[in-house]
mmCIF file of all heavy atoms in Angstrom:
data_model
loop_
_atom_site.group_PDB
_atom_site.id
_atom_site.type_symbol
_atom_site.label_atom_id
_atom_site.label_comp_id
_atom_site.label_asym_id
_atom_site.label_seq_id
_atom_site.Cartn_x
_atom_site.Cartn_y
_atom_site.Cartn_z
ATOM 1 N N HIS A 1139 9.923 1.843 10.511
ATOM 2 C CA HIS A 1139 9.654 1.130 11.733
ATOM 3 C C HIS A 1139 10.916 0.538 12.298
ATOM 4 O O HIS A 1139 12.026 0.679 11.775
ATOM 5 C CB HIS A 1139 8.627 -0.008 11.483
ATOM 6 C CG HIS A 1139 9.024 -1.006 10.481
ATOM 7 N ND1 HIS A 1139 9.646 -2.191 10.769
ATOM 8 C CD2 HIS A 1139 8.920 -1.016 9.106
ATOM 9 C CE1 HIS A 1139 9.923 -2.848 9.645
ATOM 10 N NE2 HIS A 1139 9.419 -2.184 8.666
ATOM 11 N N SER A 1140 10.781 -0.168 13.457
ATOM 12 C CA SER A 1140 11.864 -0.916 14.132
ATOM 13 C C SER A 1140 13.013 0.006 14.518
ATOM 14 O O SER A 1140 14.167 -0.262 14.090
ATOM 15 C CB SER A 1140 12.340 -2.054 13.281
ATOM 16 O OG SER A 1140 11.285 -2.934 12.908
ATOM 17 N N PRO A 1141 12.830 1.066 15.267
ATOM 18 C CA PRO A 1141 13.913 1.975 15.609
ATOM 19 C C PRO A 1141 14.861 1.349 16.727
ATOM 20 O O PRO A 1141 14.466 0.586 17.522
ATOM 21 C CB PRO A 1141 13.235 3.212 16.152
ATOM 22 C CG PRO A 1141 11.983 2.716 16.804
ATOM 23 C CD PRO A 1141 11.567 1.516 15.884
ATOM 24 N N SER A 1142 16.125 1.808 16.681
ATOM 25 C CA SER A 1142 17.115 1.504 17.698
ATOM 26 C C SER A 1142 18.002 2.675 17.804
ATOM 27 O O SER A 1142 18.409 3.303 16.826
ATOM 28 C CB SER A 1142 17.880 0.230 17.341
ATOM 29 O OG SER A 1142 18.831 -0.093 18.296
ATOM 30 N N VAL A 1143 18.374 3.069 19.068
ATOM 31 C CA VAL A 1143 19.187 4.204 19.297
ATOM 32 C C VAL A 1143 20.619 3.833 19.600
ATOM 33 O O VAL A 1143 20.913 2.906 20.357
ATOM 34 C CB VAL A 1143 18.623 5.059 20.511
ATOM 35 C CG1 VAL A 1143 19.404 6.362 20.665
ATOM 36 C CG2 VAL A 1143 17.138 5.323 20.281
ATOM 37 N N SER A 1144 21.571 4.533 19.035
ATOM 38 C CA SER A 1144 23.003 4.276 19.188
ATOM 39 C C SER A 1144 23.481 4.488 20.642
ATOM 40 O O SER A 1144 22.845 5.271 21.365
ATOM 41 C CB SER A 1144 23.842 5.098 18.242
ATOM 42 O OG SER A 1144 23.673 6.531 18.550
ATOM 43 N N PRO A 1145 24.516 3.823 21.031
ATOM 44 C CA PRO A 1145 25.003 4.025 22.449
ATOM 45 C C PRO A 1145 25.346 5.443 22.814
ATOM 46 O O PRO A 1145 25.191 5.808 24.011
ATOM 47 C CB PRO A 1145 26.207 3.083 22.527
ATOM 48 C CG PRO A 1145 26.014 2.075 21.445
ATOM 49 C CD PRO A 1145 25.311 2.851 20.324
ATOM 50 N N ASP A 1146 25.770 6.238 21.890
ATOM 51 C CA ASP A 1146 26.131 7.673 22.202
ATOM 52 C C ASP A 1146 24.859 8.520 22.174
ATOM 53 O O ASP A 1146 24.954 9.791 22.428
ATOM 54 C CB ASP A 1146 27.173 8.163 21.252
ATOM 55 C CG ASP A 1146 26.743 8.195 19.764
ATOM 56 O OD1 ASP A 1146 25.584 7.923 19.506
ATOM 57 O OD2 ASP A 1146 27.620 8.405 18.954
ATOM 58 N N GLY A 1147 23.682 7.981 21.807
ATOM 59 C CA GLY A 1147 22.476 8.763 21.815
ATOM 60 C C GLY A 1147 22.332 9.772 20.711
ATOM 61 O O GLY A 1147 21.426 10.615 20.721
ATOM 62 N N ARG A 1148 23.158 9.683 19.681
ATOM 63 C CA ARG A 1148 23.116 10.694 18.609
ATOM 64 C C ARG A 1148 22.432 10.188 17.343
ATOM 65 O O ARG A 1148 22.012 10.973 16.466
ATOM 66 C CB ARG A 1148 24.550 11.060 18.225
ATOM 67 C CG ARG A 1148 25.311 11.696 19.412
ATOM 68 C CD ARG A 1148 26.840 11.819 19.054
ATOM 69 N NE ARG A 1148 26.973 12.697 17.932
ATOM 70 C CZ ARG A 1148 28.194 12.937 17.329
ATOM 71 N NH1 ARG A 1148 29.286 12.378 17.881
ATOM 72 N NH2 ARG A 1148 28.285 13.756 16.306
ATOM 73 N N THR A 1149 22.231 8.852 17.178
ATOM 74 C CA THR A 1149 21.743 8.312 15.947
ATOM 75 C C THR A 1149 20.632 7.243 16.184
ATOM 76 O O THR A 1149 20.676 6.534 17.184
ATOM 77 C CB THR A 1149 22.918 7.576 15.170
ATOM 78 O OG1 THR A 1149 23.980 8.533 15.068
ATOM 79 C CG2 THR A 1149 22.483 7.129 13.833
ATOM 80 N N ILE A 1150 19.681 7.234 15.265
ATOM 81 C CA ILE A 1150 18.624 6.284 15.263
ATOM 82 C C ILE A 1150 18.702 5.506 13.989
ATOM 83 O O ILE A 1150 18.840 6.065 12.904
ATOM 84 C CB ILE A 1150 17.218 6.925 15.312
ATOM 85 C CG1 ILE A 1150 17.032 7.739 16.559
ATOM 86 C CG2 ILE A 1150 16.136 5.883 15.192
ATOM 87 C CD1 ILE A 1150 15.752 8.605 16.601
ATOM 88 N N VAL A 1151 18.722 4.147 14.085
ATOM 89 C CA VAL A 1151 18.631 3.274 12.884
ATOM 90 C C VAL A 1151 17.165 2.732 12.856
ATOM 91 O O VAL A 1151 16.547 2.583 13.906
ATOM 92 C CB VAL A 1151 19.618 2.131 12.882
ATOM 93 C CG1 VAL A 1151 21.023 2.692 12.696
ATOM 94 C CG2 VAL A 1151 19.541 1.307 14.127
ATOM 95 N N PHE A 1152 16.684 2.485 11.684
ATOM 96 C CA PHE A 1152 15.311 1.985 11.493
ATOM 97 C C PHE A 1152 15.210 1.288 10.129
ATOM 98 O O PHE A 1152 16.180 1.351 9.305
ATOM 99 C CB PHE A 1152 14.372 3.122 11.627
ATOM 100 C CG PHE A 1152 14.466 4.236 10.585
ATOM 101 C CD1 PHE A 1152 13.667 4.282 9.478
ATOM 102 C CD2 PHE A 1152 15.452 5.204 10.772
ATOM 103 C CE1 PHE A 1152 13.807 5.290 8.505
ATOM 104 C CE2 PHE A 1152 15.625 6.226 9.811
ATOM 105 C CZ PHE A 1152 14.803 6.263 8.687
ATOM 106 N N VAL A 1153 14.095 0.652 9.979
ATOM 107 C CA VAL A 1153 13.770 -0.029 8.713
ATOM 108 C C VAL A 1153 12.830 0.776 7.858
ATOM 109 O O VAL A 1153 11.861 1.334 8.436
ATOM 110 C CB VAL A 1153 13.253 -1.430 8.983
ATOM 111 C CG1 VAL A 1153 12.841 -2.136 7.605
ATOM 112 C CG2 VAL A 1153 14.203 -2.326 9.663
ATOM 113 N N SER A 1154 13.116 0.859 6.570
ATOM 114 C CA SER A 1154 12.185 1.574 5.707
ATOM 115 C C SER A 1154 12.171 0.918 4.319
ATOM 116 O O SER A 1154 13.267 0.364 3.882
ATOM 117 C CB SER A 1154 12.559 3.078 5.561
ATOM 118 O OG SER A 1154 11.703 3.758 4.715
ATOM 119 N N ALA A 1155 11.038 0.970 3.690
ATOM 120 C CA ALA A 1155 10.918 0.426 2.292
ATOM 121 C C ALA A 1155 10.718 1.622 1.322
ATOM 122 O O ALA A 1155 10.089 1.419 0.243
ATOM 123 C CB ALA A 1155 9.817 -0.582 2.157
ATOM 124 N N ARG A 1156 11.168 2.804 1.652
ATOM 125 C CA ARG A 1156 10.904 3.957 0.820
ATOM 126 C C ARG A 1156 11.542 3.869 -0.576
ATOM 127 O O ARG A 1156 11.130 4.520 -1.525
ATOM 128 C CB ARG A 1156 11.419 5.173 1.586
ATOM 129 C CG ARG A 1156 12.924 5.205 1.822
ATOM 130 C CD ARG A 1156 13.361 6.447 2.603
ATOM 131 N NE ARG A 1156 12.805 6.472 3.989
ATOM 132 C CZ ARG A 1156 13.033 7.426 4.824
ATOM 133 N NH1 ARG A 1156 13.774 8.446 4.520
ATOM 134 N NH2 ARG A 1156 12.480 7.357 6.049
ATOM 135 N N ASP A 1157 12.591 3.065 -0.687
ATOM 136 C CA ASP A 1157 13.237 2.841 -1.997
ATOM 137 C C ASP A 1157 12.889 1.535 -2.628
ATOM 138 O O ASP A 1157 13.571 1.124 -3.611
ATOM 139 C CB ASP A 1157 14.737 3.016 -1.843
ATOM 140 C CG ASP A 1157 15.146 4.416 -1.499
ATOM 141 O OD1 ASP A 1157 14.474 5.369 -1.905
ATOM 142 O OD2 ASP A 1157 16.140 4.613 -0.795
ATOM 143 N N GLY A 1158 11.900 0.838 -2.124
ATOM 144 C CA GLY A 1158 11.461 -0.422 -2.714
ATOM 145 C C GLY A 1158 11.562 -1.560 -1.753
ATOM 146 O O GLY A 1158 10.547 -2.090 -1.247
ATOM 147 N N ASN A 1159 12.804 -2.067 -1.482
ATOM 148 C CA ASN A 1159 12.947 -3.199 -0.534
ATOM 149 C C ASN A 1159 13.151 -2.682 0.916
ATOM 150 O O ASN A 1159 13.502 -1.523 1.135
ATOM 151 C CB ASN A 1159 14.097 -4.084 -0.932
ATOM 152 C CG ASN A 1159 15.422 -3.379 -0.815
ATOM 153 O OD1 ASN A 1159 15.603 -2.301 -1.369
ATOM 154 N ND2 ASN A 1159 16.411 -3.985 -0.120
ATOM 155 N N HIS A 1160 12.933 -3.588 1.865
ATOM 156 C CA HIS A 1160 13.193 -3.197 3.273
ATOM 157 C C HIS A 1160 14.658 -3.147 3.584
ATOM 158 O O HIS A 1160 15.339 -4.187 3.510
ATOM 159 C CB HIS A 1160 12.522 -4.244 4.192
ATOM 160 C CG HIS A 1160 11.039 -4.108 4.208
ATOM 161 N ND1 HIS A 1160 10.197 -4.526 3.229
ATOM 162 C CD2 HIS A 1160 10.183 -3.591 5.157
ATOM 163 C CE1 HIS A 1160 8.934 -4.292 3.483
ATOM 164 N NE2 HIS A 1160 8.876 -3.752 4.713
ATOM 165 N N ALA A 1161 15.179 -1.980 3.850
ATOM 166 C CA ALA A 1161 16.566 -1.760 4.092
ATOM 167 C C ALA A 1161 16.758 -0.967 5.417
ATOM 168 O O ALA A 1161 15.813 -0.476 5.986
ATOM 169 C CB ALA A 1161 17.199 -1.059 2.936
ATOM 170 N N ILE A 1162 18.036 -0.920 5.914
ATOM 171 C CA ILE A 1162 18.373 -0.203 7.103
ATOM 172 C C ILE A 1162 18.738 1.255 6.755
ATOM 173 O O ILE A 1162 19.528 1.527 5.905
ATOM 174 C CB ILE A 1162 19.565 -0.872 7.813
ATOM 175 C CG1 ILE A 1162 19.332 -2.367 8.005
ATOM 176 C CG2 ILE A 1162 19.738 -0.212 9.235
ATOM 177 C CD1 ILE A 1162 18.084 -2.755 8.775
ATOM 178 N N TYR A 1163 18.097 2.145 7.496
ATOM 179 C CA TYR A 1163 18.309 3.595 7.351
ATOM 180 C C TYR A 1163 18.827 4.171 8.658
ATOM 181 O O TYR A 1163 18.663 3.552 9.712
ATOM 182 C CB TYR A 1163 17.068 4.352 6.898
ATOM 183 C CG TYR A 1163 16.707 4.079 5.452
ATOM 184 C CD1 TYR A 1163 16.152 2.911 5.017
ATOM 185 C CD2 TYR A 1163 16.918 5.085 4.466
ATOM 186 C CE1 TYR A 1163 15.858 2.632 3.709
ATOM 187 C CE2 TYR A 1163 16.526 4.862 3.160
ATOM 188 C CZ TYR A 1163 16.033 3.670 2.788
ATOM 189 O OH TYR A 1163 15.687 3.421 1.461
ATOM 190 N N THR A 1164 19.365 5.321 8.603
ATOM 191 C CA THR A 1164 19.831 6.009 9.816
ATOM 192 C C THR A 1164 19.452 7.460 9.768
ATOM 193 O O THR A 1164 19.252 8.063 8.671
ATOM 194 C CB THR A 1164 21.363 5.892 9.987
ATOM 195 O OG1 THR A 1164 21.807 6.547 11.139
ATOM 196 C CG2 THR A 1164 22.098 6.526 8.783
ATOM 197 N N MET A 1165 19.313 8.150 10.896
ATOM 198 C CA MET A 1165 19.084 9.554 10.960
ATOM 199 C C MET A 1165 19.575 10.023 12.334
ATOM 200 O O MET A 1165 19.833 9.254 13.284
ATOM 201 C CB MET A 1165 17.575 9.814 10.842
ATOM 202 C CG MET A 1165 16.718 9.176 11.907
ATOM 203 S SD MET A 1165 14.925 9.593 11.683
ATOM 204 C CE MET A 1165 14.184 8.487 12.810
ATOM 205 N N ASN A 1166 19.699 11.394 12.417
ATOM 206 C CA ASN A 1166 20.041 11.993 13.704
ATOM 207 C C ASN A 1166 18.888 11.833 14.663
ATOM 208 O O ASN A 1166 17.750 11.549 14.272
ATOM 209 C CB ASN A 1166 20.446 13.457 13.518
ATOM 210 C CG ASN A 1166 21.706 13.602 12.685
ATOM 211 O OD1 ASN A 1166 22.482 12.690 12.541
ATOM 212 N ND2 ASN A 1166 21.868 14.789 12.150
ATOM 213 N N LEU A 1167 19.167 12.061 15.981
ATOM 214 C CA LEU A 1167 18.150 11.894 16.981
ATOM 215 C C LEU A 1167 16.978 12.787 16.784
ATOM 216 O O LEU A 1167 15.828 12.500 17.155
ATOM 217 C CB LEU A 1167 18.732 12.150 18.388
ATOM 218 C CG LEU A 1167 17.963 11.614 19.545
ATOM 219 C CD1 LEU A 1167 17.733 10.140 19.585
ATOM 220 C CD2 LEU A 1167 18.582 12.122 20.893
ATOM 221 N N ASP A 1168 17.167 13.950 16.122
ATOM 222 C CA ASP A 1168 16.056 14.881 15.816
ATOM 223 C C ASP A 1168 15.430 14.637 14.536
ATOM 224 O O ASP A 1168 14.512 15.355 14.139
ATOM 225 C CB ASP A 1168 16.565 16.352 15.880
ATOM 226 C CG ASP A 1168 17.633 16.629 14.891
ATOM 227 O OD1 ASP A 1168 18.019 15.735 14.036
ATOM 228 O OD2 ASP A 1168 18.120 17.783 14.830
ATOM 229 N N GLY A 1169 15.739 13.557 13.822
ATOM 230 C CA GLY A 1169 15.157 13.179 12.520
ATOM 231 C C GLY A 1169 15.831 13.790 11.303
ATOM 232 O O GLY A 1169 15.469 13.465 10.213
ATOM 233 N N SER A 1170 16.880 14.581 11.487
ATOM 234 C CA SER A 1170 17.568 15.109 10.348
ATOM 235 C C SER A 1170 18.598 14.080 9.785
ATOM 236 O O SER A 1170 18.901 13.093 10.402
ATOM 237 C CB SER A 1170 18.318 16.370 10.813
ATOM 238 O OG SER A 1170 19.258 16.123 11.838
ATOM 239 N N ASN A 1171 19.124 14.425 8.600
ATOM 240 C CA ASN A 1171 20.127 13.618 7.949
ATOM 241 C C ASN A 1171 19.707 12.200 7.737
ATOM 242 O O ASN A 1171 20.508 11.279 8.047
ATOM 243 C CB ASN A 1171 21.460 13.785 8.696
ATOM 244 C CG ASN A 1171 22.627 13.222 7.915
ATOM 245 O OD1 ASN A 1171 22.634 13.238 6.680
ATOM 246 N ND2 ASN A 1171 23.621 12.706 8.551
ATOM 247 N N GLN A 1172 18.561 11.936 7.154
ATOM 248 C CA GLN A 1172 18.106 10.600 6.932
ATOM 249 C C GLN A 1172 18.786 10.030 5.682
ATOM 250 O O GLN A 1172 18.798 10.681 4.606
ATOM 251 C CB GLN A 1172 16.556 10.535 6.748
ATOM 252 C CG GLN A 1172 15.894 11.008 8.003
ATOM 253 C CD GLN A 1172 14.354 10.772 7.984
ATOM 254 O OE1 GLN A 1172 13.869 9.961 7.150
ATOM 255 N NE2 GLN A 1172 13.627 11.559 8.816
ATOM 256 N N ARG A 1173 19.333 8.825 5.802
ATOM 257 C CA ARG A 1173 20.016 8.250 4.668
ATOM 258 C C ARG A 1173 20.042 6.717 4.747
ATOM 259 O O ARG A 1173 19.899 6.142 5.823
ATOM 260 C CB ARG A 1173 21.473 8.746 4.561
ATOM 261 C CG ARG A 1173 22.293 8.493 5.834
ATOM 262 C CD ARG A 1173 23.626 9.193 5.821
ATOM 263 N NE ARG A 1173 24.392 8.985 7.034
ATOM 264 C CZ ARG A 1173 25.175 7.889 7.246
ATOM 265 N NH1 ARG A 1173 25.398 7.005 6.281
ATOM 266 N NH2 ARG A 1173 25.843 7.780 8.334
ATOM 267 N N LYS A 1174 20.210 6.085 3.613
ATOM 268 C CA LYS A 1174 20.187 4.633 3.530
ATOM 269 C C LYS A 1174 21.592 4.096 3.944
ATOM 270 O O LYS A 1174 22.602 4.599 3.532
ATOM 271 C CB LYS A 1174 19.916 4.197 2.067
ATOM 272 C CG LYS A 1174 19.564 2.714 1.965
ATOM 273 C CD LYS A 1174 19.177 2.427 0.555
ATOM 274 C CE LYS A 1174 18.694 0.981 0.372
ATOM 275 N NZ LYS A 1174 18.185 0.756 -1.008
ATOM 276 N N LEU A 1175 21.586 3.132 4.845
ATOM 277 C CA LEU A 1175 22.805 2.631 5.461
ATOM 278 C C LEU A 1175 23.326 1.365 4.744
ATOM 279 O O LEU A 1175 24.506 1.147 4.641
ATOM 280 C CB LEU A 1175 22.617 2.340 6.918
ATOM 281 C CG LEU A 1175 23.857 2.191 7.791
ATOM 282 C CD1 LEU A 1175 24.722 3.428 7.743
ATOM 283 C CD2 LEU A 1175 23.507 1.906 9.241
ATOM 284 N N THR A 1176 22.395 0.487 4.309
ATOM 285 C CA THR A 1176 22.776 -0.718 3.655
ATOM 286 C C THR A 1176 22.366 -0.729 2.173
ATOM 287 O O THR A 1176 21.439 0.002 1.787
ATOM 288 C CB THR A 1176 22.143 -1.954 4.346
ATOM 289 O OG1 THR A 1176 20.704 -1.750 4.339
ATOM 290 C CG2 THR A 1176 22.582 -2.077 5.794
ATOM 291 N N ARG A 1177 23.055 -1.525 1.343
ATOM 292 C CA ARG A 1177 22.839 -1.530 -0.117
ATOM 293 C C ARG A 1177 22.432 -2.835 -0.687
ATOM 294 O O ARG A 1177 22.443 -3.021 -1.906
ATOM 295 C CB ARG A 1177 24.056 -0.966 -0.800
ATOM 296 C CG ARG A 1177 24.508 0.433 -0.358
ATOM 297 C CD ARG A 1177 23.531 1.463 -0.769
ATOM 298 N NE ARG A 1177 23.848 2.784 -0.266
ATOM 299 C CZ ARG A 1177 23.107 3.850 -0.443
ATOM 300 N NH1 ARG A 1177 21.969 3.738 -1.108
ATOM 301 N NH2 ARG A 1177 23.463 5.012 0.109
ATOM 302 N N SER A 1178 22.140 -3.803 0.158
ATOM 303 C CA SER A 1178 21.739 -5.105 -0.364
ATOM 304 C C SER A 1178 20.403 -5.100 -0.986
ATOM 305 O O SER A 1178 19.537 -4.264 -0.584
ATOM 306 C CB SER A 1178 21.780 -6.137 0.816
ATOM 307 O OG SER A 1178 21.204 -7.381 0.400
#
């Protein structure tokens, strides 16, 4: 949930609890290359 699009329009950041805690993730605009961005 909670998506935000980068100024260049290439990246979406969002919140996910897929690994346990609520952390920030990123992916390409088409949904590819999803990865965890923060490690706290």
Side-chain angles (χ1 to χ4, degrees):
H1139 57 92
S1140 304
S1142 180
V1143 185
S1144 63
D1146 62 10
R1148 300 171 60 184
T1149 305
I1150 299 171
V1151 290
F1152 60 101
V1153 176
S1154 180
R1156 63 183 65 182
D1157 292 330
N1159 66 306
H1160 287 74
I1162 310 300
Y1163 286 74
T1164 182
M1165 61 181 169
N1166 295 340
L1167 195 63
D1168 61 1
S1170 62
N1171 192 27
Q1172 297 187 23
R1173 57 188 177 88
K1174 194 173 184 178
L1175 196 59
T1176 56
R1177 300 295 174 181
S1178 169

